[in-house]
Amino acid sequence: QVQRALLALTVPLETLQAMKGRMLQAMRKGLSRQTHAQANVRMLPTYVCSTPDGTEKGDLLVVELCQSHVRTLWVTLLGDGNQNPQVTYKIFDMPRDITQGKGEALFDFIARCLRQFLAGISSPQHRLPLGFVFPFSCRQTRLDKAELISWSKGFSCSDVEGKDVVQLLQSAINKQELYHVDVVALMNDTVGTMMTCSMGGEPCEVALVVGEQRAPCVPGWWVLGGLRQCSPPSLPADTGTNSCFMAEAQQVEIVEETSGQMCVNTEWGCFGDDGTLSDILTPYDQCVDQESSNPGEKRFEKLVGSLYLGEVVRHVLTALAAEKALFTGSSAAVLRTKDVLKTQQVLEIIDNEEGMTKARRTLEALGLQPSERDCCRVQQICRAVVSRAAALCASGLAAILSHICQSRELERLVVNVGVDGGLYRGHTRFREILQSVTQLLAPECMATLLPSVDGTGRGAAMVTAVALRLAAQRREVDQLLAPLRLSRTDLERVQALMRQEMELGLGQETNANASVRMLPTYVRGTPDGTERGDFLALDLGGTNFRVLVVRMAEDGIRVASEIYVIPTTVMQGTGEALFDHIIECIVDFQLKQNLMEQVLPLGFTFSFPCQQLGLDKAVLLSWTKGFSASGCVGQDVVQLLREAAQRKQHLGLKVVAVVNDTVGTMMSCGYDDPKCEIGLIVGTGTNACYMEEMRNVGTVEGEQGRMCINMEWGAFGDNGCLDDLFTDFDQLVDEKTINVGKQRFEKLISGMYLGEIVRHILLAMVEKQLLFRGKPCSKLQTKDIFQTKFLSTIEINGLALRQVQDILQDLELQASFEDSVIVREVCQTVSLRAAQLCAAGLAAVVEKMRENRGLARLAVTVGVDGTLYKMHPRFSQHLQQILQDLAPNCTVTFLCSEDGSGKGAALVAAVACRGAEPRGQP
């Protein structure tokens, strides 16, 4: 019979694995917005968003409401890694009638205790933040806002349930004229356990409470500080079990917060209330449950919590005595009395050395006459019950660890786990089983178990201190980023300025002084689908140069191309060397494609600011994008190309059109959508073009029809009209460019510069000790080390913070989770501003087109290209939303261009050769 009982109390490893799986499933159910209400493992958000980093300092108050007393604490943190917090506290007995009376009387009593406490220590009158330990079930919606769901533990104060207990306490404190005391945080004991174990340098991200926590309870004063720590008498504060851990906030679906971390209070004591523990429940567990004050509830806690383990042992002994397997020489009727055997006695009995003696004394104290064999069997049963509790706790802990590991997409998790409670502290065997079984069930996780010190008191102080640190950090971050956060008014002003500069650029007399050049392209029409034949295209717009052959037929367009590199020495050498290199690339391509015998019309995409004097004549105004080849500015680039062809004796070159990549983008999309009359590039650089009414183009003769205008809007603001939008970070970026003071709009928007803006902001944050604990980051001092592609990766929806850390690790930046959140926010702020400014510029364009045509509503398509638009996870969405807001009378469709600079150039040539529409003359 004894062996049968022991076997029933033994949970095999396979069952523990299944238990872990069920716990994981229950946790996910609690985290999900759809299933949270039905979940047994509630996964409650605590609004604790960080663990201590050791820099916390200052004076803090804590009030802890306990079952029969109130404890008040004064905690001083020295910013020394929280190694030696100075703690003074006092304990006040609470009259029984307070716990049963009016809610107002309870909170008034707490406030009076606090007033008396502060009077006794001659506290200063500066602002004192207070953390409130309130060990009852609450619906928390902020760190400082929590509505009581229901009382427990013998409390039944009226007019409190459903109300914000933080506000009730604050009102009571104010009545005591303690106006300098602010309640800033409410928490439970499990969170406090985690926070106290984060005080040794490395963060603690998981906490487990199993069994009673020891909290000082003898009325009077106690001082703990530095090396003068003492251990005042104490009694159990809680006898249940619970856990918490730092989850990624986006996984906690029932809160709005989606960035950073948030501590989740699992409330796992209710695990199994839906029947998922039925296969491990024994008849003894069923008896314990039926005799409890809450049958059918807290099933996991009743297998693990110290309130119940003595009861489980008692029911096993009762059953064995009835079967004559124990105490055959005496009556065991005493064992039918509830709570006659305490968990503390069970823990003493399982002790290897004194256990048998303890067993005999305990049993004899109950009036039993145990034999040596009875004592041995009782010890075996006590060990089985405690071992089962430890193994079940381990299965829950393993589920948490595996969840963290999976959610962070780690191969291996290394983590500290804060542990408190009499079961953990009370016996080595429990600790050993908890550690070893956890390792067996979660081999991918290496967890170090750390004992907590006063999780309710010092833990509450740490929660409060961290909240204050984060609030101060938030204020500084907001202040630093404020200049980059544009209002609706800012964007409307940018839109109006862009419209103003567009008008100046179009005017014959004002064009020379306009920052937006509004260059005529002599492209008078868009494709209509009848274009046929073979065309060559050249694409020069960056460090890579392409040559293409584009074949247009009834069944569509086919393209063959090759990419050639332009060495930096050529980019920054002489113009002759640059264009000679281009001709060499063309010849190489034609040889490979067997095109040397043909003279094909050629479209030349030349993506630099030009004054176009005809469809095949364009004078270079300035180099951008790192080019500085001499002898080119002020020259016709088509003529430079033809001269190079003559030097290289390549006579089969027929350049019919020179186009900007923005125009090519519009044309390539126009082949698929006739409504496409705008081109937009948002990549390494940025530019836009659109079809303007000829009557408005003062720089070209003619009144009829339309012409594509190459805005060259990257230079918008070069005349100073955007200076008030330029931040110190933008100025730092501009000063290190090869064209200081030029392309100001582009330097706020394009991919070439966004990473640099972010880098300078991060450097400022390090200097202000808002990032990386203020440690100097030598690699971050390197220009262009923070590439714009990092913004795109960091801002991907759902990207785990651990992955953000990995990106920063590659830059030799040792980032905490908090650092990762701030870096992500900086990236989001910079990329959002870029999208906002781009939308404001585009709004000016579409509104001008609408007014030009006298339409109440304009429907137009924008052909768009560029890596920032295509690759950034949010840029296109922000751009479209803001544009819709700024130009509500325009329906704008965006169509991503496929090879606008290549295919588009060929289409310009094809439209010109088609002869269906006149080619404008200078």
Side-chain angles (χ1 to χ4, degrees):
Q1 295 106 321
V2 173
Q3 287 302 318
R4 190 169 61 246
L6 292 172
L7 189 61
L9 293 165
T10 303
V11 186
L13 190 59
E14 298 77 26
T15 305
L16 290 172
Q17 283 281 16
M19 286 282 300
K20 172 192 166 184
R22 292 175 209 167
M23 179 68 84
L24 268 169
Q25 191 174 357
M27 287 166 58
R28 293 186 185 118
K29 190 174 180 180
L31 286 170
S32 168
R33 183 179 284 109
Q34 286 75 24
T35 55
H36 174 78
Q38 295 81 43
N40 296 118
V41 180
R42 297 298 305 280
M43 306 298 282
L44 301 175
T46 66
Y47 296 86
V48 171
C49 297
S50 179
T51 54
D53 67 1
T55 64
E56 293 82 9
K57 58 184 176 181
D59 297 325
L60 306 148
L61 285 172
V62 174
V63 167
E64 179 187 1
L65 178 61
C66 303
Q67 199 157 356
S68 58
H69 58 276
V70 170
R71 185 163 68 127
T72 56
L73 300 92
W74 178 286
V75 181
T76 301
L77 300 176
L78 306 175
D80 59 352
N82 302 321
Q83 297 297 315
N84 297 295
Q86 307 293 314
V87 182
T88 301
Y89 59 86
K90 186 174 183 181
I91 295 158
F92 299 86
D93 269 337
M94 183 162 51
R96 178 68 179 166
D97 61 324
I98 290 284
T99 66
Q100 311 293 317
K102 291 183 178 180
E104 185 179 6
L106 170 66
F107 288 98
D108 283 348
F109 175 77
I110 296 171
R112 286 197 301 274
C113 294
L114 181 62
R115 182 180 179 83
Q116 185 179 336
F117 173 69
L118 291 174
I121 59 175
S122 302
S123 70
Q125 288 299 301
H126 63 71
R127 178 177 179 256
L128 288 173
L130 182 145
F132 184 25
V133 184
F134 189 73
F136 301 96
S137 181
C138 289
R139 184 180 297 105
Q140 199 157 353
T141 53
R142 286 196 325 235
L143 188 60
D144 61 351
K145 185 176 177 63
E147 295 177 0
L148 176 64
I149 296 173
S150 61
W151 287 113
S152 59
K153 305 176 185 180
F155 280 71
S156 59
C157 298
S158 62
D159 205 27
V160 178
E161 291 180 356
K163 293 191 176 179
D164 179 5
V165 293
V166 173
Q167 187 55 49
L168 291 174
L169 178 58
Q170 186 69 65
S171 297
I173 289 172
N174 292 346
K175 277 198 283 185
Q176 296 296 319
E177 298 184 350
L178 300 172
Y179 299 114
H180 60 301
V181 176
D182 293 330
V183 186
V184 301
L186 178 136
M187 51 151 285
N188 73 2
D189 50 1
T190 316
V191 178
T193 294
M194 182 183 75
M195 298 300 266
T196 57
C197 291
S198 292
M199 295 169 70
E202 288 298 314
C204 175
E205 298 185 87
V206 185
L208 168 66
V209 172
V210 54
E212 76 277 5
Q213 288 178 285
R214 309 298 288 189
C217 68
V218 174
W221 288 88
W222 296 93
V223 179
L224 304 170
L227 300 175
R228 300 194 306 114
Q229 294 203 8
C230 53
S231 299
S234 57
L235 284 176
D238 193 0
T239 53
T241 182
N242 197 11
S243 60
C244 68
F245 67 97
M246 295 301 291
E248 298 222 6
Q250 62 188 7
Q251 295 174 348
V252 190
E253 295 181 6
I254 58 172
V255 299
E256 296 302 318
E257 183 63 45
T258 58
S259 65
Q261 292 183 298
M262 181 173 291
C263 179
V264 172
N265 168 25
T266 67
E267 290 292 343
W268 75 2
C270 296
F271 175 51
D273 288 6
D274 56 357
T276 51
L277 293 175
S278 57
D279 56 338
I280 65 163
L281 292 174
T282 66
Y284 322 119
D285 301 311
Q286 302 289 15
C287 291
V288 171
D289 180 58
Q290 289 162 13
E291 291 181 0
S292 70
S293 60
N294 53 351
E297 298 176 9
K298 300 253 184 182
R299 300 312 296 266
F300 188 64
E301 185 167 291
K302 287 169 184 172
L303 297 171
V304 169
S306 61
L307 183 63
Y308 303 99
L309 298 192
E311 280 295 279
V312 176
V313 170
R314 180 178 69 82
H315 279 288
V316 178
L317 299 185
T318 301
L320 290 175
E323 295 173 0
K324 306 296 184 185
L326 285 176
F327 314 127
T328 53
S330 59
S331 170
V334 66
L335 293 175
R336 289 195 287 272
T337 305
K338 188 181 177 187
D339 293 330
V340 74
L341 192 60
K342 305 294 183 186
T343 296
Q344 185 56 39
Q345 294 171 310
V346 170
L347 293 175
E348 291 170 352
I349 288 171
I350 64 175
D351 185 89
N352 286 329
E353 296 179 4
E354 301 292 329
M356 288 289 286
T357 303
K358 293 287 187 183
R360 180 174 297 280
R361 287 177 184 169
T362 299
L363 296 170
E364 287 177 347
L366 294 175
L368 300 169
Q369 297 175 3
S371 64
E372 192 72 15
R373 188 179 69 170
D374 288 339
C375 292
C376 182
R377 287 178 171 176
V378 167
Q379 188 181 50
Q380 284 181 294
I381 290 159
C382 289
R383 284 177 176 168
V385 169
V386 172
S387 297
R388 182 182 68 159
L392 291 174
C393 267
S395 70
L397 179 56
I400 290 174
L401 298 178
S402 291
H403 173 83
I404 295 173
C405 193
Q406 291 165 16
S407 65
R408 296 180 186 175
E409 299 182 14
L410 298 173
E411 292 183 7
R412 184 165 181 77
L413 172 71
V414 179
V415 68
N416 288 333
V417 179
V419 192
D420 200 0
L423 283 178
Y424 178 78
R425 287 194 314 270
H427 208 277
T428 306
R429 183 176 180 82
F430 187 95
R431 294 195 295 272
E432 289 173 348
I433 293 172
L434 178 64
Q435 181 90 56
S436 60
V437 176
T438 300
Q439 194 167 357
L440 282 171
L441 296 178
E444 77 280 17
C445 306
M446 190 173 83
T448 302
L449 305 187
L450 304 173
S452 171
V453 178
D454 189 10
T456 53
R458 285 167 60 174
M462 294 311 307
V463 170
T464 308
V466 169
L468 292 171
R469 173 172 60 79
L470 292 181
Q473 183 188 65
R474 171 45 45 198
R475 286 192 295 273
E476 288 204 61
V477 168
D478 285 343
Q479 185 177 358
L480 203 69
L481 295 179
L484 292 103
R485 290 176 167 149
L486 304 181
S487 66
R488 169 68 184 265
T489 304
D490 292 329
L491 298 180
E492 288 173 345
R493 192 168 63 82
V494 172
Q495 179 181 350
L497 285 169
M498 177 68 84
R499 176 65 180 269
Q500 180 180 314
E501 290 295 307
M502 288 170 69
E503 301 288 1
L504 292 172
L506 287 171
Q508 185 175 7
E509 296 180 359
T510 54
N511 171 269
N513 298 320
S515 66
V516 181
R517 297 299 303 278
M518 303 297 285
L519 304 173
T521 67
Y522 296 87
V523 172
R524 300 289 303 276
T526 53
D528 63 6
T530 66
E531 295 78 15
R532 300 288 182 270
D534 294 352
F535 301 86
L536 279 177
L538 311 182
D539 174 18
L540 177 62
T543 54
N544 291 331
F545 167 64
R546 287 190 308 151
V547 186
L548 310 89
V549 60
V550 181
R551 297 183 165 93
M552 302 180 195
E554 286 188 19
D555 59 349
I557 295 179
R558 294 189 303 280
V559 178
S561 67
E562 185 144 352
I563 296 173
Y564 297 90
V565 174
I566 301 179
T568 304
T569 53
V570 175
M571 290 168 57
Q572 299 175 0
T574 66
E576 283 190 4
L578 173 61
F579 282 91
D580 284 352
H581 179 73
I582 292 169
I583 292 295
E584 289 167 4
C585 295
I586 294 171
V587 171
D588 179 76
F589 179 78
Q590 286 186 295
L591 284 169
K592 289 177 179 176
Q593 296 291 328
N594 295 317
L595 297 173
M596 289 301 288
E597 302 303 318
Q598 300 181 52
V599 179
L600 300 179
L602 183 146
F604 183 13
T605 297
F606 189 74
S607 304
F608 300 92
C610 288
Q611 180 183 5
Q612 202 137 356
L613 303 177
L615 190 59
D616 63 350
K617 188 171 185 179
V619 175
L620 177 64
L621 297 176
S622 63
W623 284 118
T624 57
K625 306 174 189 176
F627 280 72
S628 59
S630 62
C632 298
V633 174
Q635 300 298 312
D636 175 8
V637 295
V638 175
Q639 187 58 33
L640 292 175
L641 188 64
R642 287 171 178 157
E643 289 172 0
Q646 288 178 344
R647 284 195 300 273
K648 293 292 181 180
Q649 297 182 347
H650 183 57
L651 305 178
L653 201 64
K654 182 186 175 184
V655 183
V656 299
V658 58
V659 299
N660 178 276
D661 56 350
T662 319
V663 179
T665 294
M666 181 187 76
M667 295 295 276
S668 69
C669 291
Y671 187 81
D672 299 315
D673 182 350
K675 287 186 191 173
C676 183
E677 295 185 88
I678 302 174
L680 174 66
I681 300 287
V682 196
T684 307
T686 183
N687 195 14
C689 70
Y690 72 102
M691 297 302 291
E692 177 61 86
E693 308 302 312
M694 278 294 294
R695 66 177 184 271
N696 295 331
V697 185
T699 52
V700 176
E701 291 181 6
E703 297 286 323
Q704 300 302 311
R706 295 171 183 157
M707 180 180 287
C708 179
I709 297 296
N710 167 24
M711 296 178 66
E712 288 297 340
W713 79 1
F716 176 41
D718 286 5
N719 59 359
C721 65
L722 295 180
D723 281 1
D724 58 331
L725 290 182
F726 252 61
T727 67
D728 292 342
F729 312 116
D730 300 311
Q731 199 65 40
L732 288 167
V733 171
D734 182 48
E735 288 169 1
K736 296 297 182 182
T737 60
I738 61 173
N739 56 348
V740 179
K742 304 295 184 184
Q743 298 292 108
R744 303 297 297 268
F745 194 56
E746 183 169 83
K747 288 171 184 174
L748 300 174
I749 291 176
S750 75
M752 179 174 276
Y753 305 102
L754 298 191
E756 272 296 275
I757 297 170
V758 168
R759 183 178 72 86
H760 281 289
I761 295 171
L762 299 185
L763 283 171
M765 288 186 165
V766 172
E767 188 178 345
K768 290 179 175 290
Q769 300 196 328
L770 299 173
L771 272 182
F772 316 130
R773 298 193 181 182
K775 294 177 183 174
C777 307
S778 58
K779 200 158 186 180
L780 203 56
Q781 301 282 351
T782 308
K783 185 175 182 289
D784 295 325
I785 195 70
F786 200 96
Q787 299 171 32
T788 297
K789 69 178 183 180
F790 295 150
L791 274 76
S792 297
T793 305
I794 285 170
E795 291 188 58
I796 291 172
N797 284 329
L799 186 72
L801 285 173
R802 180 67 67 179
Q803 291 170 296
V804 178
Q805 281 184 305
D806 291 342
I807 292 169
L808 297 173
Q809 177 70 48
D810 291 341
L811 297 174
E812 298 176 12
L813 300 171
Q814 302 298 323
S816 66
F817 277 106
E818 286 172 49
D819 293 333
S820 300
V821 172
I822 293 174
V823 170
R824 178 185 280 170
E825 183 180 357
V826 171
C827 292
Q828 289 170 342
T829 302
V830 170
S831 65
L832 173 61
R833 182 185 67 158
Q836 288 175 318
L837 291 170
C838 193
L842 207 51
V845 173
V846 296
E847 276 297 305
K848 186 176 192 318
M849 292 176 71
R850 184 183 67 80
E851 292 175 20
N852 283 347
R853 301 175 189 187
L855 299 173
R857 187 160 201 87
L858 172 72
V860 69
T861 296
V862 178
V864 61
D865 203 353
T867 51
L868 186 59
Y869 183 91
K870 288 183 172 179
M871 304 303 292
H872 191 282
R874 297 184 179 183
F875 188 94
S876 60
Q877 179 186 357
H878 288 318
L879 172 61
Q880 292 171 34
Q881 288 174 345
I882 297 160
L883 176 60
Q884 187 176 15
D885 186 43
L886 293 175
N889 295 319
C890 300
T891 302
V892 184
T893 304
F894 285 79
L895 182 62
C896 277
S897 166
E898 293 183 12
D899 194 13
S901 52
K903 187 173 77 173
L907 279 163
V908 173
V911 169
C913 293
R914 188 183 70 201
E917 294 185 13
R919 291 168 57 187
Q921 297 300 318

